[in-house]
Amino acid sequence: MNTIRKSVQSKPWLGWILFAITALIVFGLGLLTSSIIERRTETLYLDQKKVEIDQFEPRNIVWSQNYPKQYESYMATRDTSFVSKYNGNAKIDQLELFPELVILWAGYGFSKDYNQPKGHVYAISDIEETLRTGAPTGPDDGPMPATCWTCKSPDVPRMMDKIGVKEFYTGKWASHGGEVVNPIGCADCHNEKTMELQITRPALVEAFERQGKDINVATHQEMRTLVCAQCHVEYYFNKEKPFEGVPYLTFPWDNGMTVEDIEKYYDDIEFSDWTHSLSKAPMIKAQHPGYEIFQTGIHARRGVACADCHMPYKSEGGVKFTDHKIQSPLNNMSTSCQVCHRESEQELTNSVYANMDRVLEIRGNLEHLLVTTHLEAEYAWKMGATEDQMKLALMDIRHAQWRWDFAAASHGGAFHAPVETLRVLGTGIQKAQDARLKIASVVFELGHKGNIPLADVSTKSKAQAYIGLDMDKLIEEKKKFLKEVLPKWNEAAKKREDAMPQYDIKNKAVSMK
Amino acid sequence: MNTIRKSVQSKPWLGWILFAITALIVFGLGLLTSSIIERRTETLYLDQKKVEIDQFEPRNIVWSQNYPKQYESYMATRDTSFVSKYNGNAKIDQLELFPELVILWAGYGFSKDYNQPKGHVYAISDIEETLRTGAPTGPDDGPMPATCWTCKSPDVPRMMDKIGVKEFYTGKWASHGGEVVNPIGCADCHNEKTMELQITRPALVEAFERQGKDINVATHQEMRTLVCAQCHVEYYFNKEKPFEGVPYLTFPWDNGMTVEDIEKYYDDIEFSDWTHSLSKAPMIKAQHPGYEIFQTGIHARRGVACADCHMPYKSEGGVKFTDHKIQSPLNNMSTSCQVCHRESEQELTNSVYANMDRVLEIRGNLEHLLVTTHLEAEYAWKMGATEDQMKLALMDIRHAQWRWDFAAASHGGAFHAPVETLRVLGTGIQKAQDARLKIASVVFELGHKGNIPLADVSTKSKAQAYIGLDMDKLIEEKKKFLKEVLPKWNEAAKKREDAMPQYDIKNKAVSMK
């Protein structure tokens, strides 16, 4: 410094050179700042609303005018190419893979048809195509109630607003065929003015109220889980007072959210989803208690929201936005897991599978045990067992399968909460075996000796034939429905939507409908 | 700066003041550096060897001359004040707390006496005081073989060097009474010249060799687990060729380290630790497969060693050293867990207990089931069952209890690997119930109807009376042993050790002996 000072003192022009260098550096910093500001401009441009969206606007393509990045990533849920270690790709027939399921669900719709879950964009086409919804010939026909649409579409809040909640739940599934046409999308979770997250389904709000909680005080981070909890939960159709026969969508959380809490809730009101056609047990179908079981795992404990891993932030052209391609984080680890975990993708994947392998092993064991138990119970009935003799065994079957289904239908449970899932399965195995001990006692009393002979139900077709399903007929009826009834629904929907504001959606990519 | 420059130009003495200030700052930095160097000096001073330690030196107090910090922290394992959520303090009688254990271990030493594990410093006094080692009256008397000393003391490598490994394992436990007197300590894990970690027990080295692995290529981080794996593992006494009746300490890892791998190993050689006195099942006692189950958990996966959490680094007076107060990391979270995990102690503790609660619930369920199963098997024998009728049920009991014991005796398993532990317990529950189904079939064939009546074994004393233990006699004999035999062992040991180099240990705190 001394040398420079002396030089400047002797040659004043040197000071000007230093000044020029400084000016150049400042100029460079200015360029950098400008580039940052430009990115911000792009963001602002993208944030700019191009159209005013109406309340209850169900068409995702309309929202896409204002939120093209989010919409494009949402549409990417069409992608079914991710193959996990266990499931193969999304088109796989789960009943072919696990014929046990046919027996477990004998007498219930899932024994007809059950495929790998797919992305949100398939919500409408999948429910129309599955054999579970049957082949209604008119609005008052078919096996499913209107309530089954509730989680499928942003047309649902629109209709609930128009006709009323209880009224929406009234009647057959086919009665809303021309109304519910847009797959799960923007209006299911977002306010159309502020884009803030909002709860659009009454069941979640009502469940909170019955527990004395106010969902309106939820933080934004909590909402990033709660919007998912509108659907990814355990539920049942309450037809009791004050709903007088209308299957009112209800979350059974009044005692709490553990497998035992919810079981007690159902036991207390003597609710069952169906009576098993082989064992005659009064069954509970666990729907998809993903939210409930997620709460018991370490990620929930650490304040992680569903969206943190399933909808991580993404950058494109300097714009940061929430990725609406909701998918397995295993297909997207760099922006999901690796935001917090520093291990390699391979190592993280291995860690996840190490736990899942263990959970799926025990779940598989219980699955097999339950098949055996249903068949053994059926045998006891054939031997002439009385309802009194079978009662306790049937309750054990109900509770054992409820536990298996809670673990299986919670979907990510083997990842979200492997310890709780294995606890649940451990008690399920004990109860299935308790049922077998009771049934053994009954058949021995009825004169049987040795092992109970069991039918061969080792493939999907054998199992479906055994439980008396006429699959050819079901498939034929479905084809007829898809050919004759569905086009009418779509036609009515098109006519109705053509009368809505059109913006410039005609020029945009067609939605899945 | 401009102002300062101008001032300096006009008043040259100001430059000297600035120089003086700079000099003062440099002086301050010098003081700081000196303080750091001083600490380093203290470290060097502490690292300095004061005595030359002989090979196989078993007296921890001798090592303390060179390594006082490590020794002091080792001696702190005397502290038994940590109370976990489950265990109460270390003096608690586990058989009082869990009377089921008395039935589970009927016919085996553990049904007599089983207390909470304590620190390393109690290794010798505990094994001398427990009823399990009985009350030998002479060197060839008592229920336990000499092999039982193997993990208890640095006198073991000393003796193995002196008399040979197989020779050490030969004879009764009482035969080494005057030789094995120093509790687990320095020479068990450290080289006396370099202080490097070393394996002193043959069983681990031999198990590695049989698997085609060389333990000598283990890294230092691996050694920080492997020195613990000399003892905290599953083992058995192999009396077959080439050991011709000598109970040779052997790790059953030849097929692998999972519960199924080790079970297959034992099944293949038709090994059993004892025959259950009620059910007559050929039982395997899981010893303490802590190392095996630790391998299956996330901490092992991430390269964490036992010592990282149980012996974390500690600073005292500028000296950083490994804390030899080996204990539950829950009693020491700031230097163990919180080195990696940023959550609060309370939150980390809650996370640990959330998993442990679930594991202990299922373990408790299996514990109860096993009691029932043993009693039901006993009832079948009383009904006149034949060995042929019972054979398969007894194998199920063997495998079910092996799983329970693997989960229970692995000690930290509910923390180290809750998912694997629950997997193990899930299969255990299934097998216990399988046994009950088979026994039910047998007793029904023998003419029994309804539930099998079970004895009241709900307290330690009821259970011990039921399995035919004369506790008063055992306690009386033990007292006599402690009063008459043990003093002679200690006297012989003192005489022997007095003839060894004395250094200045006379002036040091007395060891636990």
Side-chain angles (χ1 to χ4, degrees):
Chain A
M1 276 307 278
N2 251 2
T3 325
I4 294 177
R5 201 182 61 191
K6 279 181 191 161
S7 300
V8 172
Q9 280 167 349
S10 61
K11 303 169 190 136
W13 52 267
L14 208 61
W16 288 108
I17 286 178
L18 283 176
F19 175 78
I21 290 170
T22 309
L24 271 170
I25 292 169
V26 171
F27 182 73
L29 283 171
L31 283 178
L32 182 66
T33 311
S34 157
S35 143
I36 292 165
I37 287 169
E38 208 167 7
R39 290 196 164 201
R40 177 75 194 133
T41 311
E42 188 176 353
T43 313
L44 288 172
Y45 171 77
L46 278 163
D47 277 353
Q48 222 170 30
K49 287 182 185 176
K50 297 205 195 64
V51 297
E52 273 304 318
I53 298 170
D54 288 338
Q55 204 187 0
F56 303 117
E57 172 57 62
R59 294 166 299 172
N60 301 315
I61 191 82
V62 170
W63 296 62
S64 81
Q65 314 289 297
N66 291 348
Y67 313 103
K69 296 266 180 203
Q70 285 81 355
Y71 177 77
E72 282 166 12
S73 64
Y74 158 77
M75 286 303 287
T77 63
R78 274 183 296 200
D79 175 14
T80 59
S81 64
F82 175 65
V83 178
S84 95
K85 182 177 166 188
Y86 308 101
N87 299 325
N89 74 46
K91 281 163 200 151
I92 276 182
D93 181 341
Q94 292 290 289
L95 301 182
E96 284 283 3
L97 266 182
F98 306 105
E100 293 84 3
L101 304 183
V102 175
I103 301 299
L104 264 44
W105 291 324
Y108 196 62
F110 278 86
S111 63
K112 299 174 190 168
D113 196 5
Y114 179 51
N115 298 316
Q116 262 304 298
K118 289 189 285 184
H120 278 168
V121 93
Y122 295 103
I124 297 293
S125 56
D126 272 6
I127 196 177
E128 287 168 349
E129 286 165 18
T130 179
L131 296 178
R132 294 200 299 279
T133 50
T137 53
D140 304 321
D141 189 26
M144 310 297 267
T147 320
C148 289
W149 285 115
T150 310
C151 271
K152 301 297 177 185
S153 167
D155 283 307
V156 175
R158 179 183 66 76
M159 284 193 71
M160 283 180 168
D161 174 64
K162 199 170 122 193
I163 65 173
V165 175
K166 191 178 153 192
E167 290 71 16
F168 178 85
Y169 295 147
T170 305
K172 287 285 185 187
W173 177 71
S175 65
H176 296 336
E179 293 283 351
V180 187
V181 290
N182 294 286
I184 301 166
C186 318
D188 285 313
C189 304
H190 288 286
N191 179 285
E192 75 289 345
K193 296 282 173 281
T194 63
M195 282 309 279
E196 272 178 13
L197 292 175
Q198 65 180 12
I199 306 298
T200 57
R201 298 306 197 274
L204 181 64
V205 180
E206 292 159 3
F208 265 62
E209 276 170 6
R210 287 199 309 281
Q211 291 176 300
K213 295 191 290 188
D214 181 1
I215 205 163
N216 296 310
V217 300
T219 62
H220 179 65
Q221 178 68 352
E222 286 166 348
M223 286 297 280
R224 284 160 56 83
T225 291
L226 286 172
V227 291
C228 312
Q230 300 185 89
C231 293
H232 293 267
V233 290
E234 169 61 15
Y235 65 83
Y236 78 112
F237 296 161
N238 184 0
K239 298 181 189 173
E240 305 300 311
K241 245 169 72 171
F243 308 118
E244 295 140 338
V246 172
Y248 198 93
L249 186 70
T250 307
F251 298 172
W253 295 345
D254 297 11
N255 302 325
M257 288 194 198
T258 68
V259 77
E260 289 90 357
D261 293 336
I262 300 178
E263 179 183 84
K264 184 179 181 318
Y265 179 95
Y266 287 138
D267 283 356
D268 286 348
I269 59 169
E270 294 183 15
F271 173 84
S272 62
D273 279 289
W274 91 104
T275 299
H276 198 275
S277 70
L278 304 176
S279 66
K280 312 296 178 206
M283 306 300 290
I284 319 167
K285 175 78 189 77
Q287 306 298 343
H288 23 60
Y291 172 67
E292 291 89 335
I293 217 156
F294 172 69
Q295 309 278 318
T296 66
I298 192 68
H299 284 86
R301 237 200 134 80
R302 295 281 174 269
V304 177
C306 303
D308 285 326
C309 309
H310 292 282
M311 305 178 75
Y313 292 111
K314 194 177 172 179
S315 265
E316 267 179 19
V319 186
K320 187 181 157 199
F321 65 101
T322 301
D323 187 353
H324 281 59
K325 185 186 179 190
I326 297 164
Q327 62 183 331
S328 167
L330 290 182
N331 198 28
N332 194 23
M333 296 178 84
S334 61
T335 56
S336 56
C337 319
Q338 289 177 321
V339 172
C340 296
H341 299 282
R342 285 165 305 173
E343 289 76 19
S344 72
E345 285 207 10
Q346 193 53 54
E347 172 51 26
L348 289 170
T349 307
N350 289 345
S351 300
V352 170
Y353 284 149
N355 279 350
M356 289 181 75
D357 281 346
R358 296 183 172 107
V359 175
L360 297 193
E361 176 193 333
I362 300 302
R363 196 178 89 191
N365 290 353
L366 180 50
E367 218 160 274
H368 280 93
L369 268 184
L370 284 165
V371 169
T372 305
T373 314
H374 283 299
L375 295 174
E376 288 179 345
E378 187 197 21
Y379 185 82
W381 289 116
K382 284 185 183 162
M383 291 272 303
T386 66
E387 287 200 13
D388 247 22
Q389 280 178 307
M390 294 294 285
K391 201 177 168 192
L392 293 176
L394 298 188
M395 283 306 279
D396 281 341
I397 295 179
R398 167 188 170 93
H399 294 155
Q401 184 156 327
W402 160 245
R403 282 163 167 73
W404 166 82
D405 211 355
F406 199 88
S410 64
H411 299 142
F415 169 78
H416 293 142
V419 178
E420 172 67 358
T421 305
L422 277 165
R423 185 191 72 82
V424 167
L425 290 168
T427 63
I429 287 177
Q430 186 162 353
K431 280 172 194 293
Q433 296 277 56
D434 277 343
R436 296 183 64 208
L437 273 158
K438 285 169 187 147
I439 294 164
S441 171
V442 171
V443 298
F444 286 131
E445 272 183 50
L446 294 170
H448 175 82
K449 284 204 192 308
N451 289 332
I452 297 174
L454 302 180
D456 174 10
V457 289
S458 59
T459 67
K460 178 186 174 185
S461 59
K462 282 180 188 173
Q464 286 183 329
Y466 187 75
I467 65 169
L469 284 178
D470 184 345
M471 293 309 294
D472 291 342
K473 183 164 167 268
L474 292 173
I475 292 166
E476 214 40 61
E477 286 170 354
K478 191 70 186 192
K479 277 186 186 160
K480 200 169 170 231
F481 161 80
L482 292 174
K483 202 176 155 195
E484 294 173 13
V485 179
L486 189 59
K488 285 182 201 153
W489 291 5
N490 291 340
E491 210 176 296
K494 190 178 177 297
K495 203 173 150 192
R496 185 175 45 74
E497 290 198 345
D498 281 349
M500 290 165 80
Q502 288 306 299
Y503 311 98
D504 66 342
I505 58 176
K506 295 284 178 212
N507 303 321
K508 294 284 168 184
V510 238
S511 84
M512 286 302 292
K513 273 303 293 185
Chain B
M1 276 310 277
N2 251 2
T3 326
I4 296 178
R5 200 183 59 192
K6 280 179 191 162
S7 302
V8 171
Q9 279 168 347
S10 61
K11 303 165 192 140
W13 51 267
L14 209 59
W16 288 108
I17 286 177
L18 283 175
F19 176 77
I21 290 171
T22 311
L24 271 172
I25 291 169
V26 171
F27 182 73
L29 285 170
L31 283 180
L32 182 67
T33 311
S34 155
S35 143
I36 293 166
I37 288 170
E38 208 166 7
R39 289 194 165 203
R40 177 75 194 132
T41 310
E42 188 176 354
T43 313
L44 290 172
Y45 171 78
L46 277 163
D47 277 353
Q48 223 170 28
K49 287 182 187 176
K50 297 205 195 66
V51 296
E52 273 303 319
I53 298 171
D54 287 339
Q55 204 186 3
F56 304 115
E57 171 57 63
R59 293 166 298 171
N60 301 315
I61 192 81
V62 170
W63 295 63
S64 81
Q65 314 288 296
N66 291 348
Y67 313 102
K69 296 266 180 203
Q70 286 81 354
Y71 177 76
E72 281 165 13
S73 63
Y74 158 77
M75 285 304 286
T77 63
R78 272 184 296 198
D79 175 14
T80 60
S81 63
F82 175 65
V83 177
S84 96
K85 183 177 166 188
Y86 307 102
N87 299 327
N89 73 46
K91 282 163 200 149
I92 277 182
D93 180 341
Q94 293 289 291
L95 301 182
E96 284 283 2
L97 266 182
F98 306 104
E100 293 84 1
L101 304 183
V102 175
I103 301 299
L104 265 44
W105 291 323
Y108 197 62
F110 278 86
S111 62
K112 300 174 191 168
D113 196 6
Y114 180 50
N115 298 315
Q116 263 302 299
K118 289 189 284 185
H120 278 167
V121 93
Y122 295 103
I124 297 294
S125 56
D126 273 5
I127 197 178
E128 287 168 348
E129 286 165 19
T130 179
L131 296 179
R132 295 201 297 279
T133 49
T137 51
D140 303 320
D141 190 25
M144 311 296 268
T147 319
C148 289
W149 285 115
T150 310
C151 271
K152 302 299 177 185
S153 167
D155 281 308
V156 175
R158 178 183 65 79
M159 283 194 71
M160 285 179 166
D161 174 65
K162 199 170 122 194
I163 65 173
V165 175
K166 191 178 155 193
E167 290 70 17
F168 179 84
Y169 295 146
T170 305
K172 289 284 184 185
W173 177 72
S175 65
H176 295 336
E179 293 283 351
V180 187
V181 291
N182 294 285
I184 300 166
C186 317
D188 286 312
C189 304
H190 288 285
N191 179 285
E192 76 290 344
K193 295 282 172 285
T194 63
M195 282 309 278
E196 273 178 13
L197 292 175
Q198 65 180 13
I199 306 297
T200 56
R201 299 307 195 274
L204 182 63
V205 179
E206 291 159 3
F208 265 60
E209 276 170 7
R210 286 198 310 280
Q211 291 176 302
K213 294 190 292 188
D214 180 2
I215 205 163
N216 295 311
V217 300
T219 63
H220 180 63
Q221 178 68 353
E222 286 166 346
M223 286 297 279
R224 284 159 56 82
T225 291
L226 287 172
V227 289
C228 311
Q230 301 186 89
C231 293
H232 294 267
V233 291
E234 170 61 16
Y235 65 82
Y236 78 112
F237 296 161
N238 185 1
K239 297 181 190 173
E240 306 299 311
K241 245 170 74 173
F243 308 119
E244 295 139 337
V246 171
Y248 198 93
L249 186 70
T250 307
F251 298 173
W253 295 345
D254 297 11
N255 302 326
M257 288 193 199
T258 68
V259 77
E260 289 89 354
D261 293 336
I262 301 178
E263 180 182 85
K264 184 179 181 319
Y265 178 95
Y266 286 138
D267 284 357
D268 286 349
I269 60 169
E270 295 183 15
F271 173 83
S272 63
D273 280 291
W274 90 105
T275 299
H276 198 276
S277 71
L278 303 177
S279 66
K280 312 294 177 209
M283 306 300 291
I284 320 166
K285 175 78 188 78
Q287 306 298 342
H288 22 61
Y291 172 67
E292 291 90 335
I293 216 155
F294 171 70
Q295 310 277 318
T296 66
I298 192 67
H299 283 86
R301 238 202 132 79
R302 294 283 173 269
V304 177
C306 303
D308 285 325
C309 309
H310 292 282
M311 305 177 75
Y313 292 111
K314 195 177 172 179
S315 264
E316 267 180 19
V319 186
K320 189 181 158 200
F321 65 100
T322 300
D323 187 354
H324 282 59
K325 185 186 178 190
I326 296 165
Q327 61 183 332
S328 167
L330 291 182
N331 199 28
N332 194 23
M333 296 179 84
S334 61
T335 55
S336 56
C337 318
Q338 290 178 320
V339 172
C340 296
H341 299 281
R342 285 165 305 173
E343 289 76 19
S344 72
E345 285 207 8
Q346 193 54 52
E347 172 50 27
L348 289 170
T349 307
N350 289 345
S351 300
V352 170
Y353 284 149
N355 279 349
M356 288 181 75
D357 281 345
R358 296 184 171 105
V359 175
L360 297 194
E361 176 193 332
I362 300 302
R363 197 178 89 190
N365 290 353
L366 180 50
E367 216 160 275
H368 280 92
L369 269 183
L370 284 166
V371 170
T372 305
T373 314
H374 283 299
L375 294 174
E376 288 179 345
E378 187 197 21
Y379 185 81
W381 289 116
K382 284 184 183 162
M383 292 270 304
T386 65
E387 285 200 13
D388 246 22
Q389 281 177 306
M390 294 293 285
K391 200 177 171 192
L392 292 177
L394 298 188
M395 282 307 277
D396 282 339
I397 295 179
R398 166 188 171 93
H399 294 155
Q401 183 155 330
W402 160 244
R403 282 162 167 74
W404 166 83
D405 211 356
F406 199 87
S410 64
H411 299 140
F415 168 79
H416 293 142
V419 177
E420 172 68 357
T421 305
L422 277 165
R423 185 191 72 81
V424 168
L425 290 168
T427 62
I429 286 176
Q430 185 162 354
K431 281 173 193 291
Q433 296 276 58
D434 278 344
R436 296 183 63 208
L437 273 158
K438 286 170 186 146
I439 295 165
S441 172
V442 171
V443 297
F444 284 125
E445 272 183 49
L446 294 171
H448 175 82
K449 285 204 192 307
N451 288 331
I452 297 174
L454 303 180
D456 175 10
V457 288
S458 59
T459 66
K460 177 186 175 185
S461 60
K462 282 179 188 174
Q464 286 183 328
Y466 187 76
I467 65 169
L469 284 178
D470 184 346
M471 293 309 294
D472 291 342
K473 183 164 166 269
L474 292 173
I475 292 166
E476 213 41 59
E477 286 169 354
K478 191 70 184 193
K479 277 186 188 161
K480 199 167 171 234
F481 162 79
L482 292 173
K483 204 176 152 196
E484 296 174 13
V485 180
L486 188 60
K488 283 181 202 153
W489 291 5
N490 291 341
E491 209 176 298
K494 191 177 177 300
K495 203 171 150 193
R496 183 175 46 73
E497 290 198 344
D498 281 349
M500 292 165 78
Q502 288 305 301
Y503 310 99
D504 65 342
I505 58 177
K506 295 283 179 215
N507 303 322
K508 294 283 168 184
V510 236
S511 83
M512 286 304 290
K513 274 301 296 185

